[in-house]
Amino acid sequence: MSDTKYIFVTGGVTSSLGKGIVAASLAKLLQSQNFKVTIQKFDPYINVDPGTLNPYEHGECFVTDDGAETDLDLGHYERFLNVSTSQANNVTTGRVYQSVIEKERKGEFLGKTVQVIPHITNEIKERMQLLGESGYYDIVITEIGGTVGDIESLPYIESVRQLIWDLGRENAVVIHLTLIPFLAAAGELKTKPTQHSVKTLMESGISADIIVCRTEHELTEDLREKLALFCNVKREAIIQSIDVNTIYDVPLKMLEEGLDHVVLDKLQLQPKQSHQLGAWNDFLKRFKNPKHQIKIGLVGKYVELQDSYKSILESLIHAGADQETDLEVVSLHSEEIDLGNVDEVFGELDGVLVAPGFGERGIEGKITAIEYARKHNLPFLGICLGMQMAVIEYARNHVGLTDANSTEMDPDCKFPVIDLMESQKSVLKKGGTMRLGAWDCKIQPGTKTSEIYPSTSISERHRHRYEFNNDYLDQIFDNDFIIAGKNPETDLVEIIEYKKHPWFVGVQFHPEYKSTVSNPHPLFKGFVQASLAKKLTP
Ligand code: GLN
């Protein structure tokens, strides 16, 4: 067994308390003391991965370099730590059962009855230790999705219980994140739900070492002492996690509360160096003291749920801080945009971003928005479906192919300028079968894109089935509407630009999956810069 130490993060009382942010913040503090840390998320739902889930269910699907479609919390991990994650960092119940059932079909269980304990729990335990066993990480943080007491999270909690025994108590720490509700009528914070939730965890044989308390109001010293007493932890292991204006403040709040200190103490580890948070603090300073303000329109069809575009919104924050610019993001529902309101809605914007998406709903609104942006010199960034719609808009409104479309929206359209990739034509299964993960792209010198990327050979993450149809290369591209980047092996069009415009860029890939606090993405920086330039010199 390796020397890796394990931190388990469970949640109680309600969902949506921000376990992912607390885990990422703790990881940041440990990383800043020179520990090698990774975070993995175990999700109790039965989908094999979130790739088949509608964004309304769990928000955006985050894609890793190795092409895994994962939970959006992995995006937080990468953005906080500036370290890539992989398939191994996200496991679901569906994946666990799939692999146990495959083993059973191969006869690997030698005639035994296959059961939740030990077969499912063994599979979970193996996967929980996979990254740790590489020997690379000092500390592995495992976030258990869902809430303690849920039927579906029981096998995970049981696996954690067993694993703590296997690892030894000094090699594992359990952090339980709960809610301390404020009863306005009584004017009081209440600890009872937390007491119950810690008790539920104990019934499963796990005693929490640290309680992180989400709260809208400061916890008093009395309340902390009471919680420590009733929840069977030391006083310093009661950590307050108070509401903050930005998730990027959470690491500093956890530092003030001494979360990493209590964790290291429990794991019998000494810090390797004092906290190095200079770059993080610089980012926060720029983010909180903007010199400029711009308004960006985000056009999508899932805008009611902010989590659907999590990585895009965070990438805009990184780029805004980099440019010392406050971004007001105006969510625009693509189904509500039409010729009757486009001038009024877009007239007050400094830039427009057209989001990725699937299916027909709302695409005409996206095309109308893009036409406005192209004709009114409004900085434009189109991502994946947003890029495909930019091609359709140009084909229809400039080239004169009025029936141009994507075969995703109209399989029989007259001019299928966007079509299913050749490799996708025989694909019948939906899960995990798109063009996924990192692919290379060669940037054309002399383009806007070539100015903003540090190199002409780039690698970006993908998640799509359709592509620019190369049968239309000669008809669509001209001296103004150009290909700014292609896949060097397959010739797939990756980046388009409209040159008669201050900044009009569409990308087939998803730059938002690679923007981090310490490394804002060049495309988002370029887009924010151009939008700011428009505002300053209208
Ligand atoms: N629906 C489009 C495709 O599959 C675009 C996908 C996306 O925007 N991620 O190609």
Side-chain angles (χ1 to χ4, degrees):
M1 199 175 279
S2 67
D3 299 334
T4 310
K5 305 269 184 177
Y6 287 82
I7 300 170
F8 299 98
V9 183
T10 59
V13 183
T14 72
S15 58
S16 306
L17 290 181
K19 279 196 298 277
I21 303 292
V22 168
S25 300
L26 173 60
K28 185 77 222 166
L29 295 178
L30 296 169
Q31 186 194 48
S32 83
Q33 292 168 90
N34 207 17
F35 289 107
K36 290 201 189 71
V37 195
T38 190
I39 317 181
Q40 51 191 9
K41 170 126 196 235
F42 282 66
D43 276 311
Y45 53 70
I46 296 172
N47 303 65
V48 172
D49 61 43
T52 53
L53 288 171
N54 184 315
Y56 290 129
E57 297 284 315
H58 291 275
E60 123 190 321
C61 171
F62 186 78
V63 179
T64 57
D65 275 330
D66 67 348
E69 295 177 281
T70 71
D71 184 78
L72 60 73
D73 272 343
L74 269 74
H76 292 308
Y77 308 161
E78 291 203 5
R79 289 187 282 273
F80 275 53
L81 300 180
N82 198 39
V83 171
S84 290
T85 55
S86 69
Q87 180 67 75
N89 294 76
N90 192 199
V91 175
T92 67
T93 295
R95 193 170 290 279
V96 169
Y97 271 78
Q98 188 184 46
S99 104
V100 170
I101 291 169
E102 270 167 21
K103 287 180 188 166
E104 186 273 336
R105 292 289 81 186
K106 284 191 206 147
E108 286 185 22
F109 297 114
L110 303 173
K112 289 276 184 211
T113 309
V114 181
Q115 296 183 294
V116 173
I117 303 172
H119 301 99
I120 295 297
T121 47
N122 282 350
E123 181 74 27
I124 294 174
K125 284 199 295 178
E126 262 172 44
R127 287 173 181 265
M128 281 179 174
Q129 293 174 95
L130 206 62
L131 289 166
E133 272 166 2
S134 69
Y136 179 77
Y137 297 104
D138 302 312
I139 300 171
V140 174
I141 303 181
T142 304
E143 179 192 343
I144 309 291
T147 308
V148 164
D150 294 349
I151 291 177
E152 52 183 19
S153 52
L154 281 175
Y156 294 96
I157 300 295
E158 168 60 13
S159 302
V160 172
R161 185 193 70 77
Q162 293 178 19
L163 200 50
I164 292 172
W165 276 100
D166 299 345
L167 295 166
R169 214 51 188 96
E170 70 288 1
N171 294 319
V173 54
V174 176
I175 300 176
H176 192 54
L177 178 69
T178 74
L179 176 70
I180 309 288
F182 179 74
L183 289 193
E188 260 186 291
L189 287 166
K190 300 307 249 182
T191 64
K192 196 67 81 188
T194 297
Q195 294 179 38
H196 279 292
S197 154
V198 169
K199 201 167 129 193
T200 307
L201 198 56
M202 252 179 201
E203 281 164 9
S204 304
I206 298 178
S207 40
D209 299 297
I210 297 169
I211 318 278
V212 176
C213 306
R214 291 280 289 120
T215 174
E216 288 171 22
H217 300 273
E218 295 278 342
L219 304 184
T220 60
E221 191 48 42
D222 280 356
L223 193 131
R224 288 176 190 246
E225 274 169 18
K226 180 177 170 186
L227 272 169
L229 188 66
F230 281 93
C231 298
N232 202 27
V233 299
K234 291 184 185 159
R235 156 65 191 84
E236 63 266 30
I238 299 292
I239 304 290
Q240 163 182 289
S241 174
I242 199 155
D243 286 1
V244 280
N245 291 334
T246 161
I247 54 169
Y248 299 110
D249 268 338
V250 180
L252 303 179
K253 288 283 169 201
M254 293 300 103
L255 178 66
E256 273 171 31
E257 289 283 313
L259 174 62
D260 58 321
H261 177 77
V262 187
V263 165
L264 290 178
D265 207 36
K266 171 73 185 40
L267 295 175
Q268 300 178 7
L269 289 172
Q270 293 297 323
K272 295 187 181 185
Q273 65 183 30
S274 58
H275 295 100
Q276 305 291 315
L277 288 164
W280 192 269
N281 285 323
D282 280 353
F283 158 79
L284 277 173
K285 203 162 133 198
R286 283 194 307 275
F287 175 52
K288 291 181 180 177
N289 299 290
K291 297 200 170 87
H292 314 281
Q293 225 250 340
I294 55 173
K295 230 182 206 185
I296 300 292
L298 170 63
V299 181
K301 67 170 174 175
Y302 308 109
V303 287
E304 310 88 308
L305 183 72
Q306 291 280 302
D307 274 0
S308 310
Y309 301 113
K310 195 83 217 161
S311 294
I312 291 178
L313 294 169
E314 298 305 322
S315 303
L316 287 170
I317 287 177
H318 305 156
D322 185 81
Q323 301 294 309
E324 297 180 296
T325 300
D326 176 45
L327 267 60
E328 183 191 339
V329 179
V330 186
S331 295
L332 300 167
H333 203 300
S334 48
E335 279 181 300
E336 287 161 15
I337 299 166
D338 54 41
L339 290 172
N341 61 20
V342 67
D343 289 339
E344 187 194 332
V345 176
F346 287 79
E348 55 165 34
L349 298 177
D350 303 307
V352 59
L353 192 157
V354 177
F358 294 84
E360 207 191 343
R361 187 166 69 89
I363 64 146
E364 294 304 325
K366 285 188 171 173
I367 293 171
T368 306
I370 295 167
E371 180 179 8
Y372 181 95
R374 188 171 64 81
K375 294 186 174 164
H376 292 81
N377 285 342
L378 185 62
F380 163 79
L381 176 59
I383 299 180
C384 207
L385 185 68
M387 171 268 199
Q388 297 176 354
M389 292 305 122
V391 169
I392 293 170
E393 189 278 316
Y394 196 72
R396 286 186 189 174
N397 298 329
H398 183 85
V399 183
L401 306 178
T402 38
D403 293 325
N405 212 331
S406 162
T407 49
E408 179 181 5
M409 319 307 164
D410 178 3
D412 304 317
C413 66
K414 199 160 158 206
F415 304 111
V417 291
I418 305 293
D419 197 7
L420 206 54
M421 278 181 277
E422 212 38 57
S423 57
Q424 286 286 333
K425 291 191 174 151
S426 55
V427 172
L428 296 175
K429 285 190 184 166
K430 290 275 183 263
T433 56
M434 280 187 249
R435 180 177 185 236
L436 291 165
W439 293 88
D440 290 340
C441 170
K442 190 101 190 115
I443 298 177
Q444 185 65 31
T447 56
K448 286 261 164 21
T449 322
S450 71
E451 285 166 24
I452 57 174
Y453 273 96
S455 156
T456 51
S457 292
I458 59 164
S459 165
E460 291 281 1
R461 298 183 193 173
H462 294 68
R463 184 173 187 248
H464 63 116
R465 289 185 204 282
Y466 294 81
E467 56 158 329
F468 178 81
N469 180 351
N470 279 350
D471 290 348
Y472 288 88
L473 278 175
D474 293 343
Q475 264 172 289
I476 303 291
F477 294 107
D478 52 29
N479 288 334
D480 301 326
F481 200 74
I482 59 157
I483 299 176
K486 268 188 170 190
N487 179 294
E489 276 127 47
T490 58
D491 268 356
L492 290 184
V493 175
E494 295 280 4
I495 309 172
I496 57 109
E497 286 183 17
Y498 182 52
K499 282 172 72 177
K500 276 165 83 179
H501 191 285
W503 210 90
F504 187 101
V505 179
V507 290
Q508 184 59 79
F509 49 79
H510 291 260
E512 72 273 23
Y513 295 142
K514 283 184 74 167
S515 184
T516 69
V517 165
S518 58
N519 220 353
H521 195 285
L523 273 171
F524 282 90
K525 276 203 292 195
F527 172 60
V528 169
Q529 249 165 10
S531 306
L532 181 60
K534 177 189 175 289
K535 161 106 187 224
L536 298 178
T537 48

